[in-house]
Amino acid sequence: MKRLILEIDQDGNLAIPQSLKDHFRMVPGSKILVEIDEDRLHLSRPSDGLNRIYIEVTNQCNLDCSTCIRTIWNDSLGSMPFPGFQKIIADLSEFSPIPEIFFGGYGEPLSHPDILPMIRYARAKGASTSLITNGTLLSQAMTHSLIESGLDMLWVSIDGAHPESYQDVRLGNHLPKIIENLHYFHQARTDKYGSSAWSGRPGLGIAFVLMRKNAADLPAVIALGKQLGANQFFVTNLMAYTQGMAAEVLYEKSLTHASGSWEGTQPRVWLPRMDLDGTPGEDLIYMLMQGYQVKVAGNILNRNPYLCPFLARGATAVRWDGNLAPCLPLLYEHTHILGDWHRRSLPHTFGNLNTSSIVDLWYSPEYRRFREDLLAINFSPCVDCHTCNLSEDNLLDCTGYRHPNCGGCLWAHGVIQCP
């Protein structure tokens, strides 16, 4: 956490350092959401501050995981041509500073034949870069190439600590090879930068999809990750695309409990730092499940989850064919399942980056209005309610908000997340 002391000038105005303006991409005319919680002030990123772009360089993958959206779609498969990628980065160079490039979507980035030139090209333009992989293609040669490319962060998806649980999710006994690959990665990185997980690059992060069949493996995955030099861990729930996967989710009950503490209708509980084993831990879980607003040592544990995480990050997403969407969930049509509730989500695009500049699309009236609406709206309670036919798709919700409405989005409700 960074601390910054701001100064109030003689006229009573807040002086904001240029470094902070650059960090948050403060653009004239942009909107900022301000949330006041008694003794704390929460500011969102400016609505026009582009901070990160997820680039799906390919939607093809060498695995066929039971948890993946690719098990249910009929979309065309393809990969982004290198010249198309160069155009996107060249257009992004008009932003100052240039946004982070995150290589990830619904395919395996390391399977793209030009992934290394893409990373090097983005780095040469001044962009920080991250990439998420299933780890199977992280060969010794690829390891050295990634280290030399200047990649800032490497995320590896590991959904089990033992071959049996991993195989049940990933439909293949790849875990021993992935661990072997990561041991070599850790050693190669250590040889170049030293043993600290926080020095040099790329840093290593572990992404874990939590479900009933692998929940017991989470502590072991974190322990394994620490041995392999990981310094970040990201846990998300499972987005169920099939009835079989719907039985694996671990959040259905939590969505039926009271969720209005941020509206001021539920009790607020202030707790000190304390040991959370035994009864205190059980009491904390009870209060969170009841929707109470809980603070521990002044830190809110369950502040309003109804906020688009892509908007909060200042992020956008581009598909392999150049279509620009506001988030990863809106890249493709899909249906997710929660108990008896099936919700169809139609994709949404603001244009195509092969024929338009991302600068023009990002600042277009349509996209600006969309972001400003996300800051201001109260999301419809589709996830908590889902009793009417409006909750069955993202075309229209009960508040009158039209496609792409976000009331049924599990990402906006803090259930699903990604690095």
Coordinates of all heavy atoms in Angstrom, one line a residue, residues 75-141:
D75 N -18.4 -20.5 -31.3 CA -17.7 -19.4 -31.9 C -16.5 -19.9 -32.7 O -15.9 -20.9 -32.5 CB -17.2 -18.4 -30.9 CG -18.3 -17.6 -30.3 OD1 -19.0 -18.1 -29.3 OD2 -18.6 -16.5 -30.8
S76 N -16.1 -19.1 -33.7 CA -15.0 -19.4 -34.6 C -13.7 -19.3 -33.8 O -13.6 -18.4 -32.8 CB -14.9 -18.4 -35.8 OG -16.1 -18.5 -36.5
L77 N -12.8 -20.1 -34.1 CA -11.4 -20.1 -33.4 C -10.5 -19.3 -34.3 O -10.5 -19.4 -35.6 CB -10.9 -21.5 -33.2 CG -11.8 -22.4 -32.3 CD1 -11.2 -23.8 -32.2 CD2 -11.9 -21.8 -30.9
G78 N -9.6 -18.6 -33.7 CA -8.6 -17.9 -34.5 C -7.6 -17.2 -33.6 O -7.6 -17.3 -32.4
S79 N -6.6 -16.6 -34.3 CA -5.5 -15.9 -33.6 C -5.3 -14.5 -34.2 O -5.5 -14.3 -35.4 CB -4.2 -16.7 -33.7 OG -4.3 -17.9 -33.1
M80 N -4.9 -13.6 -33.4 CA -4.7 -12.2 -33.8 C -3.4 -12.1 -34.6 O -2.3 -12.5 -34.2 CB -4.6 -11.3 -32.6 CG -4.4 -9.8 -32.9 SD -4.3 -8.8 -31.4 CE -6.0 -8.9 -30.9
P81 N -3.5 -11.6 -35.8 CA -2.2 -11.4 -36.6 C -1.3 -10.4 -36.0 O -1.8 -9.4 -35.3 CB -2.7 -10.9 -38.0 CG -4.2 -11.2 -38.0 CD -4.7 -11.1 -36.6
F82 N 0.0 -10.6 -36.1 CA 1.0 -9.7 -35.5 C 0.8 -8.2 -36.0 O 0.9 -7.3 -35.1 CB 2.4 -10.2 -35.8 CG 3.4 -9.4 -35.0 CD1 3.3 -9.2 -33.7 CD2 4.6 -9.0 -35.7 CE1 4.3 -8.5 -33.0 CE2 5.6 -8.3 -35.0 CZ 5.4 -8.0 -33.6
P83 N 0.6 -8.0 -37.3 CA 0.3 -6.6 -37.7 C -0.9 -5.9 -37.0 O -0.8 -4.7 -36.6 CB 0.1 -6.7 -39.2 CG 0.9 -7.9 -39.6 CD 0.6 -8.9 -38.4
G84 N -1.9 -6.7 -36.7 CA -3.1 -6.2 -36.0 C -2.7 -5.8 -34.6 O -3.2 -4.8 -34.1
F85 N -1.9 -6.7 -34.0 CA -1.5 -6.4 -32.6 C -0.6 -5.1 -32.6 O -0.8 -4.2 -31.7 CB -0.7 -7.6 -32.1 CG -0.1 -7.3 -30.7 CD1 -0.8 -7.5 -29.6 CD2 1.3 -6.9 -30.6 CE1 -0.3 -7.3 -28.3 CE2 1.8 -6.7 -29.3 CZ 1.1 -6.9 -28.2
Q86 N 0.3 -5.0 -33.6 CA 1.1 -3.8 -33.6 C 0.3 -2.5 -33.8 O 0.6 -1.5 -33.2 CB 2.1 -3.9 -34.8 CG 3.2 -4.9 -34.6 CD 4.1 -5.0 -35.8 OE1 3.6 -5.3 -36.9 NE2 5.4 -4.8 -35.7
K87 N -0.8 -2.6 -34.5 CA -1.7 -1.4 -34.7 C -2.3 -1.0 -33.4 O -2.4 0.2 -33.0 CB -2.8 -1.7 -35.7 CG -3.7 -0.5 -35.9 CD -4.9 -0.9 -36.8 CE -5.9 0.3 -36.9 NZ -6.4 0.8 -35.6
I88 N -2.8 -2.0 -32.6 CA -3.4 -1.8 -31.3 C -2.4 -1.1 -30.4 O -2.7 -0.1 -29.8 CB -3.9 -3.1 -30.7 CG1 -5.1 -3.6 -31.5 CG2 -4.3 -2.8 -29.2 CD1 -5.5 -5.0 -31.0
I89 N -1.2 -1.6 -30.3 CA -0.1 -1.0 -29.4 C 0.2 0.4 -29.9 O 0.4 1.3 -29.1 CB 1.1 -1.9 -29.4 CG1 0.7 -3.3 -28.9 CG2 2.1 -1.3 -28.4 CD1 0.0 -3.3 -27.5
A90 N 0.4 0.6 -31.2 CA 0.7 1.9 -31.7 C -0.4 2.9 -31.4 O -0.1 4.1 -31.0 CB 0.9 1.8 -33.2
D91 N -1.7 2.5 -31.5 CA -2.8 3.4 -31.1 C -2.8 3.7 -29.6 O -3.0 4.8 -29.2 CB -4.1 2.8 -31.5 CG -4.3 2.7 -33.0 OD1 -3.6 3.5 -33.7 OD2 -5.2 2.0 -33.5
L92 N -2.4 2.6 -28.8 CA -2.4 2.8 -27.3 C -1.3 3.8 -26.9 O -1.4 4.4 -25.9 CB -2.2 1.5 -26.7 CG -3.4 0.5 -26.6 CD1 -2.9 -0.8 -26.1 CD2 -4.4 1.1 -25.6
S93 N -0.3 3.9 -27.8 CA 0.8 4.8 -27.4 C 0.4 6.3 -27.4 O 1.1 7.1 -26.8 CB 1.9 4.7 -28.5 OG 2.5 3.4 -28.5
E94 N -0.8 6.6 -27.8 CA -1.3 7.9 -27.7 C -1.8 8.3 -26.3 O -2.0 9.4 -26.0 CB -2.5 8.2 -28.7 CG -2.1 8.1 -30.2 CD -3.2 8.5 -31.1 OE1 -3.9 9.4 -30.8 OE2 -3.3 7.8 -32.2
F95 N -2.0 7.2 -25.5 CA -2.3 7.5 -24.1 C -1.0 7.7 -23.3 O 0.0 7.1 -23.6 CB -3.0 6.2 -23.5 CG -4.4 6.0 -24.0 CD1 -4.6 5.1 -25.1 CD2 -5.5 6.6 -23.4 CE1 -5.9 4.9 -25.6 CE2 -6.8 6.3 -23.9 CZ -7.0 5.5 -25.0
S96 N -1.1 8.6 -22.3 CA 0.0 8.8 -21.5 C -0.3 8.8 -20.0 O -1.2 9.6 -19.6 CB 0.6 10.2 -21.8 OG 1.8 10.5 -21.1
P97 N 0.3 7.8 -19.3 CA 1.2 6.8 -19.8 C 0.4 5.7 -20.5 O -0.8 5.6 -20.4 CB 1.8 6.3 -18.5 CG 0.8 6.5 -17.4 CD 0.1 7.8 -17.8
I98 N 1.1 4.9 -21.3 CA 0.5 3.8 -22.0 C -0.1 2.8 -21.1 O 0.5 2.4 -20.0 CB 1.5 3.2 -23.0 CG1 0.8 2.1 -23.9 CG2 2.7 2.5 -22.3 CD1 1.7 1.6 -25.0
P99 N -1.3 2.2 -21.3 CA -1.9 1.3 -20.4 C -1.1 -0.1 -20.4 O -0.4 -0.4 -21.3 CB -3.3 1.1 -21.0 CG -3.5 2.3 -21.9 CD -2.2 2.7 -22.4
E100 N -1.4 -0.8 -19.3 CA -0.8 -2.1 -19.2 C -1.4 -3.1 -20.2 O -2.6 -3.0 -20.5 CB -1.1 -2.7 -17.8 CG -0.6 -4.1 -17.6 CD -1.2 -4.8 -16.3 OE1 -1.9 -4.1 -15.6 OE2 -0.9 -6.0 -16.1
I101 N -0.6 -4.0 -20.7 CA -1.1 -5.0 -21.7 C -1.2 -6.3 -20.9 O -0.2 -6.8 -20.4 CB -0.2 -5.1 -22.9 CG1 0.1 -3.8 -23.5 CG2 -0.8 -6.1 -23.9 CD1 -1.1 -3.1 -24.0
F102 N -2.4 -6.9 -20.8 CA -2.6 -8.2 -20.2 C -2.9 -9.2 -21.3 O -4.0 -9.1 -21.9 CB -3.7 -8.1 -19.1 CG -3.7 -9.3 -18.2 CD1 -3.2 -9.2 -16.9 CD2 -4.1 -10.5 -18.6 CE1 -3.3 -10.3 -16.0 CE2 -4.1 -11.6 -17.8 CZ -3.7 -11.5 -16.5
F103 N -2.0 -10.1 -21.5 CA -2.2 -11.2 -22.5 C -3.1 -12.3 -21.9 O -2.6 -13.1 -21.1 CB -0.9 -11.7 -23.0 CG -0.1 -10.8 -23.8 CD1 0.9 -10.0 -23.1 CD2 -0.2 -10.6 -25.1 CE1 1.7 -9.1 -23.8 CE2 0.6 -9.7 -25.8 CZ 1.5 -9.0 -25.2
G104 N -4.4 -12.2 -22.2 CA -5.3 -13.2 -21.6 C -6.7 -13.0 -22.1 O -7.1 -11.9 -22.5
G105 N -7.4 -14.1 -22.2 CA -8.8 -14.1 -22.6 C -9.4 -15.5 -22.4 O -9.3 -16.0 -21.3
Y106 N -9.8 -16.1 -23.5 CA -10.3 -17.5 -23.4 C -9.5 -18.5 -24.2 O -10.1 -19.5 -24.7 CB -11.8 -17.5 -23.8 CG -12.7 -16.6 -22.9 CD1 -13.1 -15.3 -23.2 CD2 -13.1 -17.2 -21.7 CE1 -13.8 -14.6 -22.4 CE2 -13.8 -16.4 -20.8 CZ -14.2 -15.1 -21.1 OH -14.9 -14.4 -20.3
G107 N -8.3 -18.2 -24.4 CA -7.4 -19.1 -25.1 C -6.0 -19.2 -24.3 O -5.9 -18.6 -23.3
E108 N -5.1 -19.9 -24.9 CA -3.8 -20.1 -24.3 C -2.8 -19.1 -25.0 O -2.4 -19.4 -26.1 CB -3.3 -21.5 -24.3 CG -1.8 -21.7 -24.0 CD -1.5 -21.1 -22.6 OE1 -2.1 -21.4 -21.6 OE2 -0.5 -20.4 -22.6
P109 N -2.4 -18.0 -24.4 CA -1.5 -17.1 -25.1 C -0.2 -17.7 -25.6 O 0.3 -17.3 -26.6 CB -1.3 -16.0 -24.0 CG -2.4 -16.1 -23.1 CD -2.8 -17.5 -23.1
L110 N 0.4 -18.6 -24.8 CA 1.7 -19.1 -25.2 C 1.6 -20.0 -26.4 O 2.6 -20.4 -27.0 CB 2.3 -19.9 -24.0 CG 2.7 -19.1 -22.8 CD1 3.5 -20.0 -21.8 CD2 3.6 -18.0 -23.2
S111 N 0.4 -20.4 -26.9 CA 0.2 -21.1 -28.1 C 0.3 -20.3 -29.3 O 0.4 -20.8 -30.5 CB -1.1 -21.9 -28.1 OG -2.2 -21.0 -28.2
H112 N 0.3 -18.9 -29.2 CA 0.4 -18.0 -30.3 C 1.8 -18.0 -30.8 O 2.7 -17.8 -30.0 CB -0.1 -16.6 -29.9 CG -0.4 -15.7 -31.1 ND1 0.6 -15.3 -32.0 CD2 -1.5 -15.2 -31.6 CE1 0.1 -14.5 -32.9 NE2 -1.2 -14.5 -32.7
P113 N 2.0 -18.2 -32.1 CA 3.4 -18.3 -32.6 C 4.2 -17.0 -32.4 O 5.4 -17.0 -32.4 CB 3.3 -18.6 -34.1 CG 1.9 -18.2 -34.4 CD 1.1 -18.5 -33.2
D114 N 3.5 -15.8 -32.3 CA 4.1 -14.5 -32.2 C 4.1 -13.9 -30.8 O 4.3 -12.7 -30.6 CB 3.5 -13.5 -33.2 CG 3.8 -13.9 -34.7 OD1 4.9 -14.4 -35.0 OD2 2.8 -13.8 -35.5
I115 N 3.8 -14.8 -29.8 CA 3.6 -14.2 -28.5 C 4.9 -13.5 -28.0 O 4.8 -12.4 -27.3 CB 3.1 -15.3 -27.5 CG1 2.8 -14.6 -26.1 CG2 4.2 -16.4 -27.3 CD1 1.6 -13.7 -26.2
L116 N 6.0 -14.0 -28.2 CA 7.3 -13.4 -27.7 C 7.5 -12.1 -28.4 O 7.8 -11.0 -27.8 CB 8.4 -14.3 -27.9 CG 8.4 -15.6 -26.9 CD1 9.4 -16.6 -27.3 CD2 8.5 -15.1 -25.5
P117 N 7.4 -12.0 -29.8 CA 7.5 -10.7 -30.4 C 6.5 -9.7 -30.0 O 6.8 -8.5 -29.9 CB 7.4 -11.0 -31.9 CG 7.8 -12.4 -32.1 CD 7.4 -13.1 -30.8
M118 N 5.3 -10.2 -29.6 CA 4.2 -9.3 -29.1 C 4.6 -8.7 -27.8 O 4.5 -7.5 -27.6 CB 2.9 -10.1 -29.0 CG 2.2 -10.4 -30.3 SD 0.8 -11.4 -30.1 CE 0.0 -11.3 -31.7
I119 N 5.1 -9.5 -26.9 CA 5.6 -9.0 -25.6 C 6.7 -8.0 -25.8 O 6.7 -6.9 -25.2 CB 6.0 -10.2 -24.7 CG1 4.9 -11.1 -24.4 CG2 6.6 -9.6 -23.4 CD1 5.3 -12.4 -23.7
R120 N 7.7 -8.3 -26.6 CA 8.8 -7.4 -26.8 C 8.4 -6.1 -27.4 O 8.9 -5.0 -27.1 CB 9.9 -8.1 -27.6 CG 10.6 -9.2 -26.9 CD 11.8 -9.7 -27.7 NE 11.5 -10.4 -28.9 CZ 11.4 -11.7 -29.0 NH1 11.6 -12.5 -28.0 NH2 11.1 -12.2 -30.2
Y121 N 7.4 -6.2 -28.3 CA 6.9 -5.0 -29.0 C 6.2 -4.1 -28.0 O 6.4 -2.8 -28.0 CB 6.0 -5.3 -30.2 CG 5.6 -4.2 -31.0 CD1 6.4 -3.7 -32.0 CD2 4.4 -3.6 -30.8 CE1 6.0 -2.6 -32.8 CE2 4.0 -2.5 -31.6 CZ 4.8 -2.0 -32.6 OH 4.4 -0.9 -33.4
A122 N 5.4 -4.6 -27.2 CA 4.6 -3.9 -26.2 C 5.6 -3.2 -25.2 O 5.5 -2.1 -24.8 CB 3.6 -4.7 -25.5
R123 N 6.6 -4.0 -24.8 CA 7.6 -3.5 -23.8 C 8.4 -2.3 -24.4 O 8.7 -1.3 -23.8 CB 8.5 -4.6 -23.4 CG 7.9 -5.6 -22.5 CD 7.6 -5.1 -21.1 NE 8.8 -4.6 -20.4 CZ 8.9 -3.6 -19.6 NH1 7.8 -2.9 -19.4 NH2 10.0 -3.3 -19.0
A124 N 8.7 -2.5 -25.7 CA 9.5 -1.4 -26.4 C 8.7 -0.1 -26.5 O 9.3 1.0 -26.5 CB 9.9 -1.9 -27.8
K125 N 7.4 -0.2 -26.5 CA 6.6 1.0 -26.5 C 6.3 1.6 -25.1 O 5.6 2.6 -25.0 CB 5.2 0.7 -27.2 CG 5.3 0.3 -28.7 CD 5.8 1.5 -29.5 CE 5.8 1.2 -31.0 NZ 6.2 2.4 -31.8
G126 N 6.9 0.9 -24.1 CA 6.8 1.4 -22.8 C 5.7 0.9 -21.9 O 5.4 1.3 -20.8
A127 N 5.0 -0.2 -22.4 CA 3.9 -0.7 -21.7 C 4.3 -1.8 -20.7 O 5.2 -2.6 -21.1 CB 2.8 -1.3 -22.6
S128 N 3.8 -1.9 -19.5 CA 4.0 -3.0 -18.6 C 3.2 -4.2 -19.2 O 2.1 -4.0 -19.8 CB 3.6 -2.7 -17.2 OG 2.3 -2.4 -17.1
T129 N 3.6 -5.4 -19.0 CA 2.9 -6.6 -19.6 C 2.7 -7.7 -18.6 O 3.6 -7.9 -17.7 CB 3.8 -7.1 -20.8 OG1 5.1 -7.4 -20.3 CG2 3.8 -6.1 -21.9
S130 N 1.6 -8.3 -18.7 CA 1.3 -9.5 -17.9 C 0.7 -10.5 -18.8 O 0.1 -10.2 -19.9 CB 0.3 -9.2 -16.8 OG 0.7 -8.2 -15.9
L131 N 0.8 -11.8 -18.4 CA 0.3 -12.9 -19.2 C -0.2 -14.0 -18.3 O 0.4 -14.3 -17.3 CB 1.4 -13.4 -20.1 CG 1.1 -14.5 -21.1 CD1 1.9 -14.4 -22.4 CD2 1.4 -15.9 -20.5
I132 N -1.3 -14.7 -18.7 CA -1.8 -15.8 -17.9 C -1.8 -17.0 -18.8 O -2.1 -17.0 -20.0 CB -3.2 -15.6 -17.4 CG1 -3.6 -16.7 -16.4 CG2 -4.2 -15.3 -18.5 CD1 -4.8 -16.4 -15.6
T133 N -1.3 -18.2 -18.2 CA -1.1 -19.4 -19.0 C -1.5 -20.6 -18.1 O -1.6 -20.5 -16.9 CB 0.4 -19.5 -19.4 OG1 0.6 -20.8 -20.0 CG2 1.3 -19.5 -18.1
N134 N -1.8 -21.7 -18.8 CA -2.1 -22.9 -18.0 C -0.8 -23.6 -17.6 O -0.8 -24.6 -16.9 CB -3.0 -23.9 -18.8 CG -2.4 -24.3 -20.2 OD1 -1.2 -24.6 -20.3 ND2 -3.3 -24.3 -21.2
G135 N 0.4 -23.2 -18.1 CA 1.7 -23.7 -17.7 C 2.2 -24.8 -18.4 O 3.4 -25.2 -18.3
T136 N 1.4 -25.5 -19.3 CA 1.9 -26.7 -20.0 C 2.9 -26.4 -21.1 O 3.7 -27.2 -21.4 CB 0.7 -27.4 -20.6 OG1 0.0 -26.6 -21.6 CG2 -0.3 -27.9 -19.6
L137 N 2.9 -25.2 -21.6 CA 3.8 -24.8 -22.7 C 5.0 -24.0 -22.2 O 5.8 -23.4 -22.9 CB 3.1 -24.0 -23.8 CG 1.9 -24.7 -24.4 CD1 1.2 -23.8 -25.4 CD2 2.3 -26.0 -25.0
L138 N 5.1 -23.9 -20.8 CA 6.2 -23.2 -20.2 C 7.5 -24.0 -20.2 O 8.0 -24.4 -19.2 CB 5.9 -22.7 -18.8 CG 6.7 -21.7 -18.1 CD1 6.8 -20.4 -18.9 CD2 6.3 -21.5 -16.7
S139 N 8.0 -24.3 -21.4 CA 9.2 -25.1 -21.6 C 10.5 -24.3 -21.1 O 10.4 -23.1 -20.8 CB 9.4 -25.5 -23.1 OG 9.6 -24.3 -23.8
Q140 N 11.6 -25.0 -21.1 CA 12.8 -24.3 -20.6 C 13.2 -23.2 -21.6 O 13.5 -22.1 -21.2 CB 14.0 -25.3 -20.6 CG 13.8 -26.3 -19.5 CD 15.0 -27.3 -19.3 OE1 16.1 -27.0 -19.9 NE2 14.8 -28.3 -18.5
A141 N 13.0 -23.4 -22.9 CA 13.3 -22.4 -23.9 C 12.3 -21.2 -23.7 O 12.7 -20.0 -23.8 CB 13.2 -22.9 -25.3

